[in-house]
Amino acid sequence: MTDIRFALAQIDTCVGDLDANADKVMHYAHLAAAQHAKVVVFPEMTLTGYPIEDLALRGTFRKAAWDKANWLATELAADGLDDLFVVVGTVGTDRENSKPRNRLVVLHDGVVWAGYDKHFLPNYGVFDEFRIFSPGNKSMVLDVDGARIGVAICEDIWQDGGPVAELAKQDIDLLLTMNGSPYEEGKTDTRFDLAVRRAAEVNAPMIYLNQVGGQDDLVFDGGSFTVDADGTLLQRSPMFMEDLALFDLDTTAERQSVGVIADKPDPDEEVYTACVLGLKDYMAKNHFKGVCLGLSGGIDSALVAAMAADAVGGNNVYGISMPSMYSSDGSKDDAADLANNIGAHYDIQPIEPLFVAYQKQLDLEGVAAENLQARIRGVIVMAYSNSKGLLAVATGNKSELACGYSTIYGDAVGGYAPIKDLLKTRVWEISRWRNKAAAAGMGIGGLHVVGNESGSAGVPLPDGVMIPVNSIEKAPSAELRPGQKDSDSLPEYALLDQVLAMYIEHAHGRADLLADGFDEATIDTVMRLVDRAEWKRRQYPLGPKVTALAFGRDRRLPITNAFRE
């Protein structure tokens, strides 16, 4: 009988920060050894961070990463961990053509003991690895105290054939995979179903170790797990936070013992937490301490402010009310209430004097005058950003981005856009969830995310409410002219979002949308708005991907495009 304890080190890495990533590996390796683990596995591209994109093409970066792997092997041995098998990801170089390789290495006994290169390279959605990496070897089996451990890297298990098919012929005792799999709604179930199929294929348990944390517009949710050969869930790590989990493999047992299985979050909580972690890590990794944004009293800015407070604390959020002659008293009150609820700094900067000054020279009318108001507000937000060293966050949602219902260089200014992948109806749903969580005792910063793993309930909220109910329930309006409502320019959001989901995320054309049951007038309006707004979207700040198809790397259309259906 061979009993081997595996430690699953679900960690948050930073692209390019070789020293910090290696230090984190050392820390978790010590924790694993203290728990009597024989093997500790880390995420894909551990030492370099992931995805590294064109950094992989720099020879100096690849050499520095390889030097760091050798240093780490030496340091592990010097710390008395030479008997531990440390499985990490890094970037290697193909000896034949000098192209980069996405590499798994095993550090053991003071050396880089073994290596395996990713065989299947993803080239869809957010991935573009064909132009960066060379495909690697077909399969590799490690011998650990007599147990046969097959290894694979992320995409290798998503494709039929290749390494897993080869490993199925080699009588392995366990399939071990390291992953950098970005979050999107519903993906946790997809991963589990895939792992069940692969475990059955190799007739052995499978460990799925995933990265956690934010990297630009991607959020990695962790949620690492282990399944038995018959598909039984044996262990699951929590989502959105760093974790060290344990799995004990008994090579002679017909079925493995079930360990600790973390709860799955509510779907709304999952999406909200992904957005918060994306913002939190973007700020931390780019050295921002606070955020600023315009607070209109509407639901979008309220939800973004709530997310910012959960990410970095209300005292690091600067909310700016910028009322015009068209702003309602109710909206101004809602903005003030939101700032008070989250403990944010709250300043009032009326824009009417600036608007009047511009109009004396420009004398604009219609949409031009409306956009001028938004651009004045954008100037004020960026002035706060520059003068106080704050990250300006844009508050637009996916429905608005899709239809071009935003003002470029106005409300579209900023360095990050936390809700840009949330349709308007989703914004309302998630806002209601956050208020329910507040009523149940989840204060500011009470989410379980990387950097807040103590289980604290967070800073209490006044009356257990975070987002003013009126901001959720009132008819949405940009308040750029008397009596304006979003529905003056757009279909009602309940209908609009259904059409957008089919047109954008499912790539349905006009004939498909008609077959879906939508009326001709709505289809033509929505398609025209979406197609005409591509240039705006290209200039919008990045934000966290939470759906299957987000604007940006997921959807690459030409701006100059004469095709119309």
Side-chain angles (χ1 to χ4, degrees), residues 121-339:
L121 302 176
N123 211 64
Y124 53 84
V126 300
F127 301 108
D128 193 13
E129 293 194 359
F130 279 4
R131 64 181 297 274
I132 298 174
F133 296 112
S134 285
N137 38 312
K138 294 281 281 186
S139 66
M140 186 175 81
V141 177
L142 304 173
D143 187 301
V144 178
D145 290 353
R148 294 173 57 76
I149 312 301
V151 300
I153 304 174
C154 204
E155 189 70 13
D156 291 340
I157 68 168
W158 288 83
Q159 305 297 329
D160 293 330
V164 177
E166 291 293 319
L167 292 169
K169 304 172 186 175
Q170 299 186 48
D171 192 28
I172 61 173
D173 295 300
L174 178 120
L175 174 58
L176 178 64
T177 68
M178 58 166 55
N179 300 268
S181 181
Y183 172 77
E184 63 188 53
E185 288 188 83
K187 198 173 184 181
T188 52
D189 292 335
T190 303
R191 291 184 195 132
F192 181 76
D193 292 343
L194 173 69
V196 168
R197 295 201 306 272
R198 294 300 178 233
E201 184 177 358
V202 298
N203 193 31
M206 173 178 160
I207 291 176
Y208 184 101
L209 189 283
N210 194 27
Q211 179 175 334
V212 69
Q215 173 60 35
D216 293 341
D217 53 349
L218 301 180
V219 180
F220 299 90
D221 52 302
S224 305
F225 61 90
T226 306
V227 296
D228 211 340
D230 66 350
T232 300
L233 179 62
L234 300 173
Q235 166 276 326
R236 183 168 61 213
S237 304
M239 296 178 70
F240 302 112
M241 56 189 288
E242 293 185 315
D243 183 70
L244 185 74
L246 301 173
F247 167 65
D248 293 318
L249 173 69
D250 181 349
T251 59
T252 62
E254 184 177 347
R255 293 291 173 259
Q256 304 297 316
S257 299
V258 176
V260 177
I261 298 176
D263 293 335
K264 287 181 65 176
D266 173 274
D268 291 339
E269 178 182 5
E270 209 177 89
V271 173
Y272 183 90
T273 307
C275 293
V276 170
L277 180 54
L279 173 60
K280 183 183 184 75
D281 257 12
Y282 186 81
M283 292 180 66
K285 293 174 183 180
N286 290 285
H287 312 293
F288 286 102
K289 301 298 185 185
V291 305
C292 61
L293 73 160
L295 287 183
S296 68
I299 187 56
D300 296 321
S301 64
L303 179 60
V304 170
M307 289 176 171
D310 276 328
V312 294
N315 60 318
N316 293 310
V317 177
Y318 289 74
I320 314 161
S321 172
M322 295 171 282
S324 74
M325 48 286 194
Y326 305 124
S327 299
S328 66
D329 290 339
S331 291
K332 289 183 279 189
D333 291 343
D334 293 337
D337 288 346
L338 183 280

Side-chain angles (χ1 to χ4, degrees), residues 65-79:
W66 197 247
D67 289 345
K68 184 58 65 175
N70 284 313
W71 173 88
L72 185 58
T74 302
E75 288 298 303
L76 288 165
D79 279 7

Side-chain angles (χ1 to χ4, degrees), residues 184 398 421 504-507 545-551 554-555:
E184 63 188 53
K398 191 173 188 176
D421 200 25
I504 295 166
E505 296 181 19
H506 297 277
K545 167 185 165 65
V546 297
T547 67
L549 198 151
F551 290 127
D554 271 340
R555 187 176 188 268

